[in-house]
């Protein structure tokens, strides 16, 4: 009788330890290479991923981030689904992606990607100064990347869009007149042009108009990789609690120049809907998302 009680107690303790133990850490996580030598977005997201993993490691060995090869969004999502060349990918979210993959539903730049200013040719600046409404903007053609969620978002608002399968070719299309403007996240356009100044000296950022729609970049894993997704999610939540996510934005080359946000305020401001966003996305929750009011000064 005594031995049976000891045996049962031992089995109970073993099960309890197994239930509470952290899952084994992978040695490495596969991520894509930068899309080009100018791609500083890659540094922003990979360093954030690494910080989140360290933040919630809880004694686990943090896996190394191992780059495989450069991929545009469509290819990257196919590779993530196969699980052979990608373990984690960061991409603009939509309902379809959240159904197919495990989304870590924390905006990696607090929704900043949805606040858009335009890259134009210098010759187009004067004509854009007359644009004050969505109806006027609908007369122009935007350049966007193929498979980007923005394409469908903009078309749903009646905006014309020309797609390019390769990110770097979008700048060439704009310069060649195949489109009129290239909408970029508030943090993207300045750095993109600085890095390509020698290639496209005739392209400029237009600061007098803002196009806004709720939009977020999330980390995604395969649904089968729930333990990894929870690890990343917990790390990001802890970074928000400690103010480290905002600090990351304020320090990174990609995003630091947009602060304080009040300096980015502009008029006119054109807002459109994002029909691809999951209905339960908490876009008004200021814990995760910047709000339009964050861009306004008291004088506005």
């Amino acid at each position: 009788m005594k031995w049976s009680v000891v045996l049962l107690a031992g089995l109970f303790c073993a099960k309890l330890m197994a239930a509470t133990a952290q899952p084994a850490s992978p040695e490495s996580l596969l991520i894509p290479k930068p899309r080009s030598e100018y791609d500083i977005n890659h540094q922003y997201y990979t360093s954030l991923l690494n910080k989140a993993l360290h933040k919630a490691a809880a004694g686990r060995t943090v896996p190394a981030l191992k780059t495989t090869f450069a991929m545009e969004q469509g290819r990257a999502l196919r590779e993530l689904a196969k699980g052979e060349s990608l373990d984690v990918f960061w991409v603009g979210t939509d309902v379809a992606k959240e159904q197919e993959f495990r989304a870590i539903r924390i905006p990696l730049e607090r929704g900043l990607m949805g606040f858009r200013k335009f890259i134009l040719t210098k010759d187009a600046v004067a004509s854009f100064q007359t644009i004050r409404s969505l109806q006027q903007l609908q007369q122009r053609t935007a350049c966007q990347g193929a498979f980007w969620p923005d394409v469908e978002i903009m078309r749903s608002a009646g905006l014309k869009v020309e797609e390019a399968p390769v990110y770097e070719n979008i700048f060439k299309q704009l310069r060649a007149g195949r489109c009129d403007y290239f909408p970029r996240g508030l943090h993207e356009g300045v750095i993109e042009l600085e890095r390509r100044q020698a290639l496209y000296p005739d392209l400029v950022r237009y600061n007098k108009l803002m196009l806004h729609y709720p939009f977020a970049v999330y980390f995604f894993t395969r649904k089968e990789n729930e333990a990894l997704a929870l690890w990343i999610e917990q790390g990001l939540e802890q970074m928000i609690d400690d103010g480290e996510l905002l600090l990351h934005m304020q320090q990174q080359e990609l995003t630091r120049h947009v602060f304080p946000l009040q300096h980015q305020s502009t008029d006119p401001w054109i807002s459109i809907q994002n029909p691809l966003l999951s209905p339960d996305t908490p876009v008004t929750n200021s814990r995760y998302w910047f709000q339009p009011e964050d861009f306004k000064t008291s004088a506005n």
Side-chain angles (χ1 to χ4, degrees):
M1 182 69 177
K2 183 186 296 185
W3 284 108
S4 63
V5 172
V6 171
L7 180 60
L8 288 172
L11 289 172
F12 175 79
C13 290
K15 288 182 179 180
L16 181 62
M17 291 175 64
T20 57
Q22 297 284 10
S25 303
E27 292 185 2
S28 62
L29 295 178
L30 302 179
I31 60 173
K33 283 185 177 180
R35 293 174 295 183
S36 74
E37 61 184 299
Y38 308 109
D39 185 8
I40 62 170
N41 294 56
H42 189 275
Q43 164 63 22
Y44 178 90
Y45 295 116
T46 55
S47 60
L48 180 58
L49 175 59
N50 192 51
K51 288 177 182 178
L53 290 168
H54 277 86
K55 189 72 174 175
R60 291 170 287 187
T61 300
V62 175
L65 302 183
K66 182 180 179 182
T67 58
T68 52
F69 49 90
M71 311 174 213
E72 297 297 329
Q73 283 190 21
R75 171 70 182 278
L77 292 170
R78 292 192 295 272
E79 294 296 333
L80 183 62
K82 289 191 293 185
E84 298 173 359
S85 301
L86 276 187
D87 294 312
V88 183
F89 185 50
W90 49 93
V91 66
T93 192
D94 56 47
V95 173
K97 292 188 187 75
E98 292 181 28
Q99 291 174 343
E100 183 175 2
F101 302 104
R102 172 51 160 98
I104 293 107
R105 299 181 67 198
I106 298 174
L108 302 181
E109 17 65 347
R110 296 183 52 82
L112 198 63
M113 191 73 79
F115 297 88
R116 301 270 168 149
K117 290 192 176 181
F118 304 159
I119 295 177
L120 308 176
T121 62
K122 291 179 179 178
D123 293 341
V125 170
S127 66
F128 268 75
Q129 290 177 344
T130 65
I131 295 177
R132 309 290 300 175
S133 67
L134 175 60
Q135 291 71 26
Q136 290 174 304
L137 190 59
Q138 288 169 340
Q139 306 308 308
R140 309 302 175 94
T141 300
C143 265
Q144 290 285 271
F147 303 105
W148 292 6
D150 311 85
V151 174
E152 190 170 342
I153 294 168
M154 296 179 71
R155 284 177 176 161
S156 72
L159 295 167
K160 294 182 285 188
V161 182
E162 178 75 22
E163 298 179 62
V166 179
Y167 165 68
E168 287 298 327
N169 288 346
I170 301 176
F171 299 92
K172 298 177 183 178
Q173 287 192 341
L174 180 61
R175 187 177 60 175
R178 293 188 60 186
C179 55
D180 303 307
Y181 64 106
F182 183 15
R184 303 303 290 139
L186 192 61
H187 53 296
E188 295 179 306
V190 170
I191 302 298
E192 286 173 328
L193 290 180
E194 284 180 358
R195 295 218 160 189
R196 295 166 180 81
Q197 177 62 33
L199 290 174
Y200 308 110
D202 53 335
L203 299 184
V204 296
R205 186 178 189 244
Y206 185 66
N207 290 312
K208 297 182 179 180
L209 177 65
M210 181 91 83
L211 175 67
H212 174 243
Y213 45 91
F215 190 82
V217 174
Y218 293 159
F219 285 131
F220 286 85
T221 69
R222 293 182 304 284
K223 285 190 174 180
E224 298 80 3
N225 216 344
E226 179 65 14
L228 173 62
L230 284 173
W231 185 348
I232 297 170
E233 189 171 72
Q234 290 165 4
L236 291 173
E237 290 283 7
Q238 291 176 34
M239 289 183 69
I240 293 173
D241 289 338
D242 295 342
E244 293 180 25
L245 179 55
L246 182 59
L247 184 62
H248 179 80
M249 297 186 67
Q250 293 170 336
Q251 292 178 339
Q252 285 286 306
E253 182 181 5
L254 178 67
T255 48
R256 63 191 179 200
H257 62 278
V258 305
F259 296 97
L261 294 180
Q262 290 86 350
H263 291 176
Q264 307 298 328
S265 182
T266 186
D267 181 39
W269 180 300
I270 299 173
S271 292
I272 61 176
Q273 300 298 313
N274 180 354
L276 306 184
L277 208 58
S278 296
D280 61 343
T281 305
V283 296
T284 59
N285 187 340
S286 59
R287 172 177 171 82
Y288 301 104
W289 294 76
F290 284 134
Q291 303 300 309
E293 293 75 21
D294 294 326
F295 293 82
K296 303 184 188 304
T297 63
S298 57
N300 296 140

